[in-house]
Amino acid sequence: MYARQIKNGIYAVGIQDWGRRLFDSLIPLPDGTSYNSYLVRGSDKTAVIDTVDPDFADEFVENLKGLDKLDYIITLHSEQDHSGSIPHLLKQFPGAEVICSAKAKDLLIEHLLLDPAQIRTVADGETISLGDKTLQFIYTPWVHWPETMVAYMKEERILFSCDFLGSHSAGSELYDNGDPAVMEAAKRYYAEIMMPFRTAIRGNLAKIRELEIEIVAPSHGPLWNHPESIIAAYEDWVSPRVENKVVIPYISMHGSTAKMVDFFSKELIRNGVKVELFDLTVTDIGKLAMALVDAATIVIGSPTVHVGPHPIVANAAILANAIKPKARFAAMIGSYGWATKVVENTLALLPNLKVEVLGSVICKGEAKETDLQELEDLAKLIAAKHKEL
Ligand code: FEO
């Protein structure tokens, strides 16, 4: 058995996926990821909490070699990177019961073709006794599917949180140990996966605030032996607070939009506003998503391609619309060759953003004196709006 002890009878038995560089065929994983699974041996019953990505099912089963019995396979979330090895585990332990939330049952049947007779659902707040250890299930919907829940073990004050409070990284350290790199990975994870569900997360954080927590054991990344740090960080990220910051994702084809972005960003800085630029031809979209966690304003820079935005800008706009950052203001700058509808066509891609559009500066060809004056005015307006917040 390859098991790392967390507490007496509680072991980490998951997988480090050092080489994975993309999740959901979309999200960059600069440091790989892990699929954490936990073995809990109580005095009467034994449980595994979450499994691993099915690509690693054989290694996972090997990790558990020597385990003589398994009573429960607890599934906090139905997405395949955690549930995908349940069928392999059931082959080894056909008598084990799969425990999940009421909404997860249908998903497990549909995604994994599990036999409904092997699944037992638990209600919000219900407990399962393993003898000297108890697991209480707390529904925490939308972190990040509707069926997600966490499990709390009061005897050891451990919160098993699955994706919630997790981070994509592979590593040899079992715990975060206060490492800022773990917090950055957690912020990236929040930005890419959790951010659209801020309202639900606020409710979930209030629920877990009622618990005494010594360790948070997520299903990606290191365990938090400083749980207050990640819980407080989430509380900040989901709060309405925004920073005096403008994020500018942009593309330039022949240089005129790039010159506008350069001039405009310097005007913003001159007016006391923090700026983060993202040339979308070379941007790690995870870094862009992180910048959007607390930016007050988004300014999109795009040249015109067949009257609309550059397709790479359109792609970034669709992504921003999906992750729903809490920005309060937006604007657009850019250029065109002979005709344009770049502003209307780009803003139409952002219906989920609850922003006040402060204006646009779109010039024909190179920016002229009047265009530069408009950029100066837009920078001043943004700075004034930020001061009002
Ligand atoms: Fe890590 Fe939503 O799966």
Side-chain angles (χ1 to χ4, degrees):
M1 186 183 293
Y2 179 72
R4 303 175 72 188
Q5 183 164 320
I6 299 166
K7 295 264 190 176
N8 188 28
I10 305 169
Y11 306 89
V13 291
I15 298 289
Q16 303 297 317
D17 190 349
W18 298 88
R20 189 162 180 180
R21 285 293 172 270
L22 207 56
F23 200 85
D24 290 345
S25 300
L26 173 70
I27 295 167
L29 301 178
D31 301 308
T33 191
S34 66
Y35 316 108
N36 300 345
S37 172
Y38 301 99
L39 171 66
V40 183
R41 287 177 187 248
S43 55
D44 295 337
K45 305 278 188 187
T46 298
V48 161
I49 301 177
D50 288 319
T51 70
V52 305
D53 190 282
D55 285 351
F56 292 87
D58 292 342
E59 188 179 335
F60 177 58
V61 169
E62 187 67 24
N63 281 1
L64 293 169
K65 201 170 176 182
L67 185 65
D68 52 351
K69 67 157 190 153
L70 183 62
D71 300 288
Y72 304 122
I73 301 170
I74 289 160
T75 305
L76 302 176
H77 173 32
S78 309
E79 194 167 6
Q80 292 89 331
D81 52 326
H82 309 294
S83 67
S85 295
I86 292 175
H88 308 78
L89 206 47
L90 282 172
K91 270 191 197 149
Q92 297 288 316
F93 300 99
E97 270 187 306
V98 176
I99 307 289
C100 66
S101 70
K103 281 193 175 162
K105 183 172 180 177
D106 169 64
L107 294 169
L108 293 173
I109 293 167
E110 294 291 341
H111 289 277
L112 301 171
L113 311 176
L114 295 191
D115 176 356
Q118 291 182 289
I119 302 175
R120 171 174 152 198
T121 61
V122 286
D124 187 17
E126 193 172 335
T127 57
I128 284 185
S129 174
L130 307 178
D132 60 349
K133 297 178 175 61
T134 315
L135 289 170
Q136 181 182 26
F137 301 100
I138 301 165
Y139 279 21
T140 49
W142 298 109
V143 286
H144 57 117
W145 281 18
E147 92 298 10
T148 43
M149 62 177 184
V150 298
Y152 177 63
M153 183 185 290
K154 67 173 189 278
E155 293 85 359
E156 300 292 353
R157 297 188 295 280
I158 301 178
L159 183 74
F160 299 95
S161 62
C162 202
D163 279 349
F164 189 28
L165 313 174
S167 60
H168 277 310
S169 66
S172 59
E173 294 295 313
L174 192 53
Y175 294 103
D176 77 284
N177 296 322
D179 182 349
V182 181
M183 185 57 78
E184 180 168 323
K187 185 173 186 181
R188 174 187 277 263
Y189 190 82
Y190 165 81
E192 293 163 335
I193 304 288
M194 300 287 173
M195 190 152 66
F197 308 112
R198 285 192 298 281
T199 307
I201 292 172
R202 270 182 223 129
N204 294 334
L205 287 167
K207 281 185 173 185
I208 68 169
R209 269 296 184 200
E210 293 172 10
L211 308 171
E212 246 186 82
I213 300 172
E214 188 183 318
I215 294 171
V216 170
S219 291
H220 295 293
L223 288 73
W224 296 93
N225 53 0
H226 298 76
E228 178 57 29
S229 64
I230 185 62
I231 294 169
Y234 258 73
E235 285 173 339
D236 179 45
W237 298 334
V238 302
S239 76
R241 187 192 69 82
V242 287
E243 263 193 53
N244 174 25
K245 179 170 83 177
V246 174
V247 170
I248 309 178
Y250 74 98
I251 284 269
S252 193
M253 288 159 62
H254 297 289
S256 54
T257 298
K259 281 184 202 160
M260 294 174 78
V261 166
D262 180 61
F263 178 86
F264 180 60
S265 61
K266 285 172 179 158
E267 285 304 308
L268 285 167
I269 294 164
R270 200 196 306 278
N271 282 280
V273 179
K274 186 175 166 185
V275 178
E276 286 193 55
L277 298 187
F278 293 92
D279 176 346
L280 293 171
T281 59
V282 292
T283 288
D284 167 348
I285 58 167
K287 289 209 163 186
L288 173 57
M290 270 195 283
L292 291 174
V293 166
D294 44 22
T297 299
I298 305 169
V299 176
I300 296 172
S302 181
T304 299
V305 176
H306 302 317
V307 306
H310 190 287
I312 294 175
V313 171
N315 185 52
I318 289 167
L319 185 69
N321 189 59
I323 62 176
K324 297 184 193 169
K326 59 186 172 185
R328 308 285 179 80
F329 309 108
M332 182 141 192
I333 63 178
S335 57
Y336 65 98
W338 66 94
T340 187
K341 287 190 176 175
V342 70
V343 175
E344 319 74 302
N345 290 355
T346 307
L347 295 180
L349 299 171
L350 299 165
N352 289 340
L353 269 56
K354 306 297 176 215
V355 288
E356 178 185 349
V357 178
L358 298 179
S360 60
V361 181
I362 307 295
C363 62
K364 189 171 185 178
E366 288 290 314
K368 323 293 185 306
E369 274 307 312
T370 50
D371 303 309
L372 297 179
Q373 185 58 55
E374 284 183 36
L375 288 172
E376 274 187 44
D377 293 345
L378 182 58
K380 284 192 185 113
L381 176 60
I382 289 170
K385 287 283 185 181
H386 285 196
K387 284 201 178 103
E388 286 170 14
L389 290 173

